[in-house]
Amino acid sequence: LASAASVVLCMDVGLTMSNSAPGEESSFELAKKVIQKFVQRQVFSETKIELALVLFGTDSTDNPLSQDGQYQNIRVHRHLMIPDCELLIEIENQVQPESQQGDCILSPEHVSLIPCRNLTLQAEGKKYDCLNIALLTDLNTQTNEESLEVIIKNLTQSGITVQFFLPFPVEEDKEGQGDSERRDPGHPGTGKGLSREQKKNKELVKEMMLSLDVEDGLDEIHTFRNAIEELCMFKRVERRPVAWPCQLTIGSSLSIRIIGYKAVTDEKLKKMWITVDAQSHQKDDVKRETVYCLDDDNETEVQKDDIIQGFRYGSDIVPFSKVDQEQMKYKHDGKCFAVLGFTKQSTIRRNQFMGSQIIKIFAARDDEHAGVALSALIRALNELQMVAIVRYAFNRISNPQVGAAFPCIKQDSECLMYIQLPFMEDLRQFTFPSLENKKFTPSDAQLSAVDSLIDSMMLVEEDENGEQRDLFKPHRIPNPAFQRHFQCLHHRAVSPGTPLPPIEPWLKAALDRPEVITERCQDPLDVLKRKFPLTEVEKKKKLKTSAQIFGKESEESEAKKVKEDEAEEYNLADIAEGSVTSVRIRGRAGRLNNPRRWARFCQQLTHRIEQLLSNKNTQYYMKSITCIQAFREQSVKLGNAEHYNSYLQSLKRSIPNRGLEVFWELLVQDGLTLISKDEVEGSSVSKAEANQFLVAEEKKEEAAPAPVEDTGDVDDLVSVQFLFLTFLYFYLNTCLCNCCDSNGVKTISCVSTWGVCDVLSSQI
Amino acid sequence: MLACSIDTKNYKITGRDSLVFLVDASKEMFIKGEDGEPSNFDMTMQVVRTVYTSKIISSDRDLVALVFYGTEQSKNPRNSFKHVYVYHDLNEPGAKRVQEVDALRGEKGAKLAAETIGSGETSLGDALWCCANLYSDIKLRLSHKRLMIFTCRDEPHGGDSVKDRQARTKASDLKETGVVIDLMHLMKPGGFNISLFFCDIVSPPEDESEMGLQLQPSDKLEDLQKRVRAKELKKRTLARLNLCLGEGINVAVGIYATAVAARKPGSIKLYRETNEPVRSKTRTFHTQTGSLLLPSEIKKAQYYGGKEIVMERDEVDAIKKFDDPGLFLIGFKPMEKLKLLHHIRPAVFLYPEEDEVKGSSCLFSALLKKCSERNVFALCRFISRRNYPPRFVALLPQNEELGEGKVQITPPGFNVIYLPFADDLRTLDPPQFPSASQTQVDKMKEIVSKLRFKYRSEGFENPVIQQHFRNLEALALDMMAPEEIEDLIMPKVDQIDQRLGPLVQEFKDLVYPAYYNPESKPAAKRKTADTGGGAEKKPKVELTEDELKAHVQNGTLAKLTVPVLKDACKQFGVRTTGTKKQELIDALIARLGS
């Protein structure tokens, strides 16, 4: 689709559109896809192009021209405006095939007039540089040949361009050549099987397109499938190049006026994620605040104005205010592209290119003399195989760089390519052991195995005509991260509440080895595998267990910990090991002295245990055991056995009913019995009772019902994470502050101090 | 400089470097040279200061000590040695230490030295013993232990064989604990004869061939005096992952960054009153209730097409995940297919990790050899870290290169060049010009040839960082003004002009017409130049309510400019808190939309 300032999409939703050969998508589905992809592109690239959507062949009629029975069965779904997510959702849900008979549908040519007039009505005072009408139809309509001329006249006068999207190609032979290998020969709807109307209309369309004042009008007729393929990727990130005018200088008296353009740069997405409240989805509800405090026991808060900057100088820290820094820092004359000297191209190592961009340097526009002077330099460098080493400064504020300007001569243009080079400080001169080591020297057989692998995997090959063919060009692939990003955004916008879709197959394929290569390299790879024995060295688990993380953390500031916790991916396996649980509760020692809080904590913990136990699976059992273990330990420590004992007793009672015998055995093995008087004074359980507690049940053996295989990964994730977070909260946010008012409601000002009040805890 | 030569020996380094200066404080050291040359002691202090200040910047976690022997006064941890004066024990260097060394320099310094340490009897054995104690008192893990003796006396004990023997025993004890003893012999009338005594004290040279070959003292000193103001970085992998050639063929590789843009070291926030460091705490809370928000109470959103699209935090990560980290071989391409344009970020370096997968080195080595021989590069899909989207990279073979003295210049391995995606390439509209004639090109070639030089990548210092370090030094050491820096990336205009001579004018005559001045700015293209100055602004575009409503309805408000939107807000009495475009639009929609 041409990029126009405004586009009217006219889609046929009539009866015949839903016809399809078995196993194939109907014309309607295809046309809808085309529209979806197109709108989606516009929404996410945030172009200012306005779109209108007109459906025809609809059951109802809704358009400003529908008077006196004219223009029936046409619905203006949306007037010209910038497309938004709403439109995407509407297309997804509201554009459905409708049932009007073909003969009732007005000719597409008529339809095209509606938006035109429509526009003129609407667009009073507005000026459109360019209007484009895209018609998606199967041409199964009755048409009025006489009107054709009027239409053509009308279109040419108003400078409106037209594009047709049809389920079949207009010219069979033309379709044949292009990308013949990509398309299966049985292209649906090709020529054959067209109705009389379709054939007639096809000729009409052809005639119309040819008579319009457009270059090669037939190029504006597309098939649905072609369009989908072209539109499947989101538009690449496009930025208008910004010219950087400067002067290339050699010494004091030779200068050439130049302009620079960024030619290659590591492009990033324009938008960042913003943080919103989980409930309201409002970003204004969330505020991030950074406070500073002294490293003393009270964590005395320090005002922002009372902070100065310092730098480490050996074992000392030197205060260095921003003002002083500004005054003492390196200053330079600003914008500059000055030659320091010339050197052989071979002395510049490819792996020492720095920075994230390449700047192309041309002579200043409309300055022929500069053009000639620069051309002389470019050609001289090219002939001598040399480069210019230059000092480059973008402007006064930016830091100057050293870089190389390579000559680049192409058929239609000459330029210098500037690439940043490293400073001495940037280089890390690491040395590595030589590979010329008897232990590692490959044998001849091994080398030839690698040789044949390379042979089989060459991506550049010559075809019969001696022309080179590159099977894999990364610089033609759109950044998959962007594609995936927009795919997910689109999905979430159109169908909220559903999980994200998998990566699109075309994208996956684009990132993979070309199929030809995969096939060809199979045998050489097998040989390679045999010739080179590779054995993985058994290692201790490398992933940090959560316990290690928290163990280490206890030395660090709590503020930092929160950050780390957020950053660290929750490793479920580790949490399952229970290290987190125990560490957490241990960490909380002394903060749960408050009986009320302890009670609430116990309640939450048992609730969690119950949740875990609802999954009858050893892994979950282990987690529960760990929790109970920690529960017990903490109870003993706090000298409060009541909650633990009562829970364990109730748990025991429920064992037979819930088929948790296996779990109970584990509990017995770990000796997790009641807390007796010997351990905690207040306990109402004697030692003997405690010992007996685990044994008693054994007699009543019952066949345990087969464990239900319900792993419920997602639930688990949620619950374990929740458990984790509960602990996190308890560990971090004890209410240390005194600023909660009598109702336990927190004032905003007290958020900055540590601690949290009951309001928050009750939310958990 | 010193550390470099050590580094080549050990590939894996943990722990800190340590260096003890053992300086002779005998009378001979204080004798001034002819023509007012500084005394040996003065020179030594100069060297110590340089090393201190270098260390502070390059590796401030290293430990240094300064010990005098042959002194009158004694000062050491347990005061068990006479005539040994520990001026600085093994610790991280700081500003105070530099100033203390400064105090010993020059005329005044010699006086101060005479007062505080004085010159007395010499027992190198005791001094070495004392140094051994310094090392053993350190509880930190040390990677390198180095001791440097600065003296101008080749017979420190004047022929006392007992003391000589004692010193030899102590030296060998020290060497056994891994201390490298180095001698910095200074100028002595009649020459310094190492074979008299010191040959038994110092560690044997690392290389057999260097045996018997004695470096000139001045060379070593010069080496030491070279100031290096660059942070030294330990060799660490960025990641260890697999290079997958095919199903089940995984070569373990380590990824190293060999060139990373150096920045000024980060600042530390201090409390103005006491200059003590402060900690920062960042928290997220709810603006209305003021309660802290847990990670679970936060979601992420992006605004597109008039809608907030909300995702869970882990979904945001999941979107970025394509596969597990690793390199996956796509195929090979001839080297000429790698274009200059294929550059989006600095390259990294690949080296096999035999410790992870046995046999990696062999396959890696074979691959390297063949790629290099056939002049091809390997094209791979690369995911560097968890939840990172893929990039395509070219693995360029790099053979090991050795320089003089078998010092490795380039290590063997693959350079990983990041390749751009379609989005990273920008379409330009290059201006068209006629090409230069051969005469013009030839003249330029003369100019180019005149300004030839040999480029070395380590030849340019970053003036911004260098200035910063000097400023810091000046502040820390209470200097009047920071040391001058030499801006190496400034063109030496005078030299260039001189070398080119008349060539410039000749070239200019060939390419520029007489009236042309490249320095002058092109005629300003101002459309509104005729209306007197900026006094008269563009006529205000006032929108009627209907127009505005139409804009709201069509979602075309974004097409209007900010001033117009602001006026519209004023006109319709819409109060806005923000000044950003989106905020203005939101406010107008809220007012007129319904």
Side-chain angles (χ1 to χ4, degrees):
Chain A
L1 292 150
S3 59
S6 50
V7 178
V8 179
L9 297 167
C10 300
M11 183 179 163
D12 186 351
V13 293
L15 188 64
T16 52
M17 283 292 277
S18 345
N19 293 346
S20 69
E24 272 172 13
E25 281 173 297
S26 65
S27 299
F28 172 80
E29 290 296 332
L30 290 172
K32 185 169 163 179
K33 259 190 199 166
V34 172
I35 289 194
Q36 254 176 340
K37 297 271 182 197
F38 178 71
V39 175
Q40 177 179 300
R41 263 185 153 200
Q42 302 308 321
V43 170
F44 290 112
S45 61
E46 297 200 302
T47 51
K48 298 274 151 70
I49 297 174
E50 294 187 11
L51 283 183
L53 179 61
V54 177
L55 305 175
F56 58 97
T58 52
D59 298 336
S60 60
T61 303
D62 176 13
N63 68 70
L65 303 177
S66 59
Q67 292 159 354
D68 316 326
Q70 269 197 312
Y71 301 105
Q72 290 304 298
N73 300 103
I74 293 168
R75 196 166 78 218
V76 177
H77 190 88
R78 183 172 270 219
H79 294 281
L80 268 182
M81 59 193 275
I82 290 177
D84 50 20
C85 287
E86 213 47 53
L87 182 59
L88 277 176
I89 296 167
E90 283 167 20
I91 294 171
E92 172 83 20
N93 301 324
Q94 292 175 18
V95 175
Q96 300 297 345
E98 302 193 26
S99 58
Q100 278 312 304
Q101 291 298 318
D103 53 12
C104 295
I105 303 165
L106 286 166
S107 74
E109 285 82 3
H110 269 149
V111 172
S112 63
L113 277 174
I114 294 180
C116 307
R117 291 206 200 156
N118 221 346
L119 277 173
T120 40
L121 282 175
Q122 236 191 51
E124 259 175 276
K126 278 199 219 170
K127 246 170 84 182
Y128 289 97
D129 304 333
C130 188
L131 266 174
N132 188 322
I133 296 169
L135 276 154
L136 296 97
T137 175
D138 60 356
L139 293 180
N140 236 334
T141 50
Q142 277 186 357
T143 40
N144 183 355
E145 279 165 71
E146 283 101 69
S147 63
L148 189 65
E149 237 167 81
V150 188
I151 290 163
I152 292 170
K153 205 177 127 217
N154 234 320
L155 287 176
T156 355
Q157 266 178 0
S158 50
I160 293 170
T161 53
V162 182
Q163 284 176 304
F164 276 94
F165 292 82
L166 308 174
F168 47 80
V170 260
E171 284 173 303
E172 268 98 281
D173 49 342
K174 206 181 162 209
E175 196 59 31
Q177 28 171 286
D179 300 51
S180 52
E181 72 212 71
R182 266 201 295 169
R183 204 146 298 115
D184 49 343
H187 199 281
T190 27
K192 281 162 225 159
L194 292 187
S195 68
R196 201 172 50 82
E197 263 91 28
Q198 280 177 312
K199 277 184 192 148
K200 187 178 120 199
N201 286 334
K202 196 173 92 180
E203 292 312 312
L204 260 171
V205 166
K206 258 165 114 174
E207 197 188 323
M208 173 178 155
M209 290 311 281
L210 286 172
S211 53
L212 276 174
D213 191 19
V214 198
E215 256 181 80
D216 210 357
L218 289 184
D219 278 356
E220 294 301 325
I221 307 176
H222 311 265
T223 65
F224 289 155
R225 260 159 217 280
N226 256 340
I228 291 173
E229 265 179 50
E230 271 170 41
L231 289 169
C232 72
M233 55 182 77
F234 289 91
K235 233 176 166 170
R236 66 184 191 141
V237 176
E238 267 184 71
R239 294 218 178 166
R240 204 182 299 154
V242 180
W244 177 77
C246 190
Q247 291 195 349
L248 183 151
T249 56
I250 303 173
S252 63
S253 51
L254 180 53
S255 55
I256 304 170
R257 285 177 45 208
I258 53 167
I259 44 167
Y261 289 102
K262 247 184 219 180
V264 184
T265 186
D266 195 350
E267 209 66 66
K268 300 277 191 296
L269 284 170
K270 282 186 205 164
K271 287 195 179 174
M272 305 280 282
W273 289 99
I274 49 172
T275 306
V276 296
D277 182 71
Q279 254 103 52
S280 65
H281 290 186
Q282 289 297 312
K283 71 165 182 227
D284 295 338
D285 284 349
V286 179
K287 199 171 172 202
R288 254 176 108 80
E289 183 193 54
T290 305
V291 291
Y292 300 96
C293 58
L294 296 179
D295 203 7
D296 55 11
D297 292 340
N298 301 324
E299 296 196 311
T300 318
E301 210 176 299
V302 176
Q303 289 307 306
K304 220 171 182 167
D305 298 341
D306 288 332
I307 305 245
I308 51 166
Q309 269 199 330
F311 288 90
R312 199 171 279 286
Y313 184 77
S315 48
D316 307 308
I317 296 173
V318 182
F320 196 177
S321 72
K322 277 207 170 121
V323 182
D324 285 347
Q325 261 190 80
E326 194 53 42
Q327 219 157 54
M328 292 174 78
K329 76 170 190 193
Y330 175 82
K331 291 184 195 80
H332 60 97
D333 301 335
K335 202 184 256 196
C336 155
F337 199 84
V339 172
L340 304 180
F342 300 96
T343 191
K344 279 259 163 244
Q345 277 180 21
S346 56
T347 57
I348 313 285
R349 288 175 179 273
R350 185 69 226 257
N351 56 318
Q352 289 188 340
F353 287 6
M354 298 294 289
S356 59
Q357 59 177 15
I358 286 181
I359 301 169
K360 280 191 175 174
I361 305 283
F362 301 97
R365 276 183 200 280
D366 309 322
D367 187 339
E368 202 170 295
H369 310 302
V372 173
L374 192 67
S375 164
L377 176 62
I378 293 165
R379 286 179 175 266
L381 289 175
N382 191 50
E383 283 175 32
L384 294 166
Q385 284 295 295
M386 293 182 80
V387 295
I389 301 294
V390 296
R391 172 196 175 94
Y392 164 83
F394 180 74
N395 61 20
R396 186 184 279 276
I397 307 157
S398 65
N399 293 335
Q401 304 173 355
V402 64
F406 287 82
C408 168
I409 299 180
K410 288 218 174 114
Q411 259 187 347
D412 53 343
S413 71
E414 295 173 0
C415 69
L416 288 172
M417 279 204 274
Y418 170 81
I419 299 165
Q420 191 188 348
L421 293 175
F423 283 118
M424 177 272 285
E425 293 90 338
D426 306 339
L427 293 169
R428 305 179 179 186
Q429 310 278 14
F430 299 145
T431 49
F432 292 83
S434 173
L435 287 173
E436 300 289 316
N437 181 321
K438 273 176 218 137
K439 270 199 292 186
F440 308 138
T441 311
S443 66
D444 288 346
Q446 283 177 322
L447 283 175
S448 73
V450 172
D451 236 346
S452 48
L453 179 76
I454 296 178
D455 282 333
S456 70
M457 292 183 82
M458 278 315 277
L459 294 166
V460 181
E461 42 186 27
E462 273 183 20
D463 60 12
E464 315 86 69
N465 308 328
E467 266 176 63
Q468 274 201 341
R469 221 157 61 89
D470 196 333
L471 296 174
F472 200 89
K473 289 182 178 163
H475 62 273
R476 290 286 162 76
I477 300 173
N479 190 336
F482 302 170
Q483 297 295 322
R484 173 83 178 136
H485 180 84
F486 289 125
Q487 183 208 353
C488 290
L489 283 181
H490 175 230
H491 177 89
R492 183 52 47 90
V494 172
S495 25
T498 56
L500 297 178
I503 297 169
E504 283 184 38
W506 73 265
L507 185 60
K508 257 202 146 95
L511 298 175
D512 220 340
R513 217 177 254 175
E515 252 171 63
V516 211
I517 299 287
T518 314
E519 254 166 58
R520 254 188 349 214
C521 71
Q522 210 44 60
D523 292 340
L525 272 176
D526 286 341
V527 177
L528 199 78
K529 203 170 180 177
R530 261 179 279 129
K531 292 271 194 254
F532 289 93
L534 292 166
T535 43
E536 207 164 318
V537 178
E538 283 288 324
K539 280 239 169 142
K540 277 177 272 161
K541 226 171 144 196
K542 272 208 301 197
L543 275 172
K544 270 191 236 159
T545 67
S546 305
Q548 276 173 323
I549 296 163
F550 297 125
K552 185 189 78 200
E553 263 179 8
S554 56
E555 296 161 21
E556 290 170 10
S557 70
E558 290 190 318
K560 196 168 176 187
K561 184 159 31 189
V562 179
K563 238 184 213 169
E564 251 181 60
D565 282 342
E566 281 175 5
E568 195 71 38
E569 274 176 53
Y570 304 126
N571 189 326
L572 283 185
D574 288 337
I575 292 168
E577 279 170 23
S579 31
V580 174
T581 329
S582 48
V583 170
R584 277 289 166 226
I585 298 180
R586 271 183 220 117
R588 284 276 309 140
R591 293 191 191 180
L592 289 169
N593 287 334
N594 178 340
R596 216 164 50 106
R597 194 172 293 137
W598 170 241
R600 198 170 53 230
F601 178 76
C602 291
Q603 195 196 339
Q604 281 164 356
L605 187 62
T606 52
H607 181 61
R608 233 28 86 190
I609 295 172
E610 289 301 310
Q611 275 194 354
L612 288 172
L613 284 179
S614 61
N615 291 299
K616 292 186 180 50
N617 175 309
T618 329
Q619 211 195 347
Y620 290 91
Y621 287 168
M622 291 319 290
K623 283 183 216 168
S624 311
I625 296 266
T626 326
C627 288
I628 293 172
Q629 217 161 18
F631 192 3
R632 189 175 200 280
E633 264 176 50
Q634 202 56 38
S635 298
V636 172
K637 210 175 275 170
L638 289 171
N640 187 340
E642 187 196 333
H643 296 286
Y644 173 81
N645 280 354
S646 72
Y647 172 67
L648 209 65
Q649 278 159 342
S650 76
L651 179 67
K652 187 183 172 185
R653 280 193 296 275
S654 70
I655 292 290
N657 300 336
R658 296 159 74 191
L660 284 169
E661 279 80 1
V662 183
F663 171 70
W664 185 254
E665 263 174 48
L666 289 170
L667 210 65
V668 173
Q669 268 171 30
D670 284 334
L672 289 174
T673 181
L674 298 175
I675 298 171
S676 69
K677 272 194 188 109
D678 296 27
E679 290 169 286
V680 172
E681 249 181 88
S683 170
S684 55
V685 182
S686 72
K687 179 128 198 193
E689 274 174 329
N691 289 342
Q692 196 57 35
F693 182 71
L694 293 175
V695 200
E697 215 64 17
E698 279 182 358
K699 290 167 199 157
K700 277 207 246 162
E701 253 185 323
E702 253 178 70
V708 186
E709 282 300 324
D710 173 32
T711 40
D713 272 343
V714 181
D715 290 350
D716 178 43
L717 192 117
V718 172
S719 67
V720 173
Q721 229 177 49
F722 193 81
L723 176 70
F724 177 79
L725 291 174
T726 313
F727 287 140
L728 189 76
Y729 160 67
F730 269 98
Y731 184 50
L732 288 174
N733 302 326
T734 337
C735 196
L736 298 172
C737 67
N738 308 317
C739 40
C740 295
D741 62 26
S742 52
N743 301 323
V745 174
K746 207 144 170 79
T747 53
I748 293 181
S749 63
C750 78
V751 180
S752 48
T753 55
W754 270 109
V756 138
C757 28
D758 298 346
V759 179
L760 181 61
S761 41
S762 64
Q763 280 170 4
I764 287 198
Chain B
M1 290 281 124
L2 279 167
C4 281
S5 57
I6 303 164
D7 277 355
T8 48
K9 281 272 150 189
N10 295 288
Y11 297 105
K12 280 180 185 156
I13 315 155
T14 49
R16 304 201 195 172
D17 244 335
S18 62
L19 175 61
V20 173
F21 292 106
L22 183 56
V23 180
D24 190 351
S26 64
K27 291 214 164 58
E28 287 89 333
M29 288 289 285
F30 291 95
I31 298 169
K32 271 198 197 160
E34 291 158 29
D35 316 324
E37 266 183 39
S39 70
N40 277 330
F41 186 83
D42 207 1
M43 270 172 59
T44 308
M45 287 308 108
Q46 169 74 44
V47 169
V48 172
R49 182 191 198 270
T50 314
V51 172
Y52 271 20
T53 46
S54 290
K55 281 273 183 204
I56 284 172
I57 286 165
S58 68
S59 33
D60 60 356
R61 311 301 269 172
D62 286 0
L63 306 176
V64 283
L66 178 58
V67 180
F68 295 110
Y69 73 98
T71 54
E72 177 65 41
Q73 307 297 324
S74 309
K75 185 186 165 213
N76 44 66
R78 292 167 206 90
N79 275 324
S80 43
F81 306 104
K82 284 206 170 127
H83 309 296
V84 180
Y85 195 101
V86 178
Y87 198 68
H88 290 148
D89 58 358
L90 263 182
N91 214 332
E92 293 165 17
K96 194 163 161 266
R97 288 190 162 201
V98 177
Q99 282 167 326
E100 281 166 357
V101 172
D102 268 340
L104 293 176
R105 285 169 60 197
E107 203 71 47
K108 269 192 197 162
K111 225 172 115 192
L112 181 70
E115 280 164 22
T116 50
I117 55 176
S119 301
E121 263 178 71
T122 303
S123 168
L124 194 59
D126 279 351
L128 290 173
W129 195 342
C130 179
C131 293
N133 286 347
L134 288 182
Y135 281 118
S136 56
D137 286 347
I138 294 295
K139 295 283 168 282
L140 297 161
R141 207 157 111 195
L142 299 176
S143 53
H144 294 297
K145 295 187 235 177
R146 206 175 174 89
L147 181 98
M148 284 185 178
I149 304 174
F150 287 77
T151 182
C152 59
R153 296 183 295 160
D154 43 13
E155 281 180 296
H157 306 120
D160 185 335
S161 58
V162 182
K163 276 187 174 173
D164 276 0
R165 194 168 351 107
Q166 211 190 348
R168 279 189 204 113
T169 331
K170 276 295 143 212
S172 66
D173 285 353
L174 265 176
K175 282 183 269 186
E176 248 167 53
T177 59
V179 178
V180 176
I181 303 178
D182 218 340
L183 177 68
M184 293 290 149
H185 50 292
L186 305 158
M187 288 307 176
K188 173 186 176 262
F192 195 102
N193 190 347
I194 289 166
S195 57
L196 281 176
F197 169 71
F198 275 104
C199 55
D200 297 332
I201 299 290
V202 298
S203 303
E206 287 159 1
D207 202 328
E208 298 275 318
S209 61
E210 274 178 49
M211 205 60 135
L213 189 141
Q214 283 300 339
L215 270 174
Q216 282 298 309
S218 49
D219 288 355
K220 280 199 201 170
L221 276 178
E222 220 171 83
D223 225 26
L224 273 180
Q225 275 188 316
K226 245 181 229 161
R227 286 289 322 259
V228 189
R229 285 190 186 88
K231 187 128 187 69
E232 226 169 72
L233 287 150
K234 297 266 186 293
K235 192 171 101 184
R236 277 201 200 109
T237 52
L238 293 178
R240 286 198 183 88
L241 29 83
N242 283 335
L243 164 61
C244 177
L245 306 184
E247 176 98 26
I249 310 177
N250 292 315
V251 180
V253 289
I255 296 186
Y256 299 83
T258 49
V260 179
R263 292 169 187 284
K264 276 192 263 182
S267 66
I268 300 164
K269 293 205 161 48
L270 305 174
Y271 181 43
R272 189 193 288 278
E273 303 296 318
T274 55
N275 278 353
E276 61 182 309
V278 295
R279 293 189 298 137
S280 70
K281 296 188 290 194
T282 305
R283 276 189 311 259
T284 316
F285 61 90
H286 199 280
T287 23
Q288 257 124 66
T289 65
S291 54
L292 284 184
L293 290 169
L294 291 176
S296 60
E297 292 169 317
I298 289 169
K299 286 186 180 174
K300 295 285 176 182
Q302 289 203 342
Y303 191 88
Y304 272 108
K307 205 176 149 113
E308 204 114 280
I309 303 172
V310 181
M311 300 230 185
E312 301 287 340
R313 282 161 13 104
D314 50 349
E315 281 176 328
V316 172
D317 284 335
I319 289 173
K320 283 183 265 171
K321 183 176 169 138
F322 283 71
D323 212 339
D324 290 328
L327 280 151
F328 178 78
L329 178 67
I330 301 287
F332 299 89
K333 278 190 185 187
M335 206 60 91
E336 66 267 18
K337 284 280 160 192
L338 185 72
K339 300 285 193 290
L340 269 179
L341 273 175
H342 294 160
H343 168 71
I344 43 164
R345 62 175 84 154
V348 290
F349 184 73
L350 220 58
Y351 190 81
E353 292 277 329
E354 191 73 11
D355 295 347
E356 304 270 324
V357 174
K358 220 166 148 264
S360 292
S361 295
C362 183
L363 181 47
F364 187 91
S365 165
L367 212 55
L368 185 65
K369 203 166 179 176
K370 277 295 158 195
C371 284
S372 164
E373 241 175 60
R374 304 182 49 164
N375 204 24
V376 295
F377 67 84
L379 184 73
C380 292
R381 189 178 63 220
F382 181 32
I383 296 175
S384 55
R385 297 169 67 176
R386 256 195 306 184
N387 293 340
Y388 265 47
R391 272 274 172 197
F392 286 101
V393 292
L395 304 190
L396 259 56
Q398 172 174 292
N399 291 321
E400 187 180 19
E401 262 176 70
L402 298 178
E404 269 173 65
K406 291 194 176 162
V407 181
Q408 193 174 60
I409 297 175
T410 58
F414 284 103
N415 284 312
V416 181
I417 310 287
Y418 287 87
L419 302 175
F421 281 121
D423 306 76
D424 303 326
L425 302 173
R426 296 190 177 183
T427 8
L428 303 178
D429 166 34
Q432 307 281 331
F433 294 110
S435 295
S437 70
Q438 197 56 45
T439 357
Q440 289 163 332
V441 173
D442 286 343
K443 190 49 82 185
M444 186 45 103
K445 271 160 104 174
E446 280 181 58
I447 292 179
V448 169
S449 308
K450 281 274 188 224
L451 299 177
R452 271 176 96 123
F453 77 109
K454 197 169 180 329
Y455 170 80
R456 287 182 315 120
S457 52
E458 62 279 5
F460 298 98
E461 287 179 347
N462 187 340
V464 176
I465 292 181
Q466 294 299 323
Q467 184 68 57
H468 175 76
F469 281 143
R470 281 166 175 80
N471 291 344
L472 208 56
E473 215 167 79
L475 285 174
L477 304 178
D478 286 332
M479 286 155 64
M480 295 296 287
E483 239 179 87
E484 286 283 313
I485 64 156
E486 189 191 352
D487 190 346
L488 294 169
I489 60 165
M490 207 58 179
K492 298 186 179 71
V493 176
D494 295 339
Q495 252 184 53
I496 292 175
D497 287 350
Q498 204 189 337
R499 278 216 222 170
L500 294 180
L503 279 173
V504 171
Q505 198 49 51
E506 286 166 32
F507 178 75
K508 279 197 320 212
D509 291 343
L510 279 172
V511 293
Y512 293 155
Y515 60 85
Y516 179 79
N517 179 11
E519 321 269 337
S520 72
K521 290 220 163 146
K525 283 184 231 162
R526 288 238 172 131
K527 284 168 197 163
T528 51
D530 44 3
T531 50
E536 215 172 305
K537 278 185 185 168
K538 271 192 228 165
K540 263 193 181 173
V541 190
E542 290 244 329
L543 287 171
T544 65
E545 189 164 346
D546 287 342
E547 280 170 337
L548 201 66
K549 273 192 174 152
H551 275 299
V552 171
Q553 225 160 41
N554 300 348
T556 48
L557 273 178
K559 281 190 167 183
L560 302 175
T561 61
V562 173
V564 174
L565 286 171
K566 270 190 186 163
D567 284 346
C569 281
K570 250 186 241 162
Q571 200 180 330
F572 298 104
V574 179
R575 256 195 239 153
T576 52
T577 45
T579 48
K580 281 194 182 144
K581 190 165 186 179
Q582 194 59 52
E583 287 167 340
L584 295 171
I585 291 171
D586 288 347
L588 281 171
I589 290 175
R591 173 68 186 271
L592 301 165
S594 46

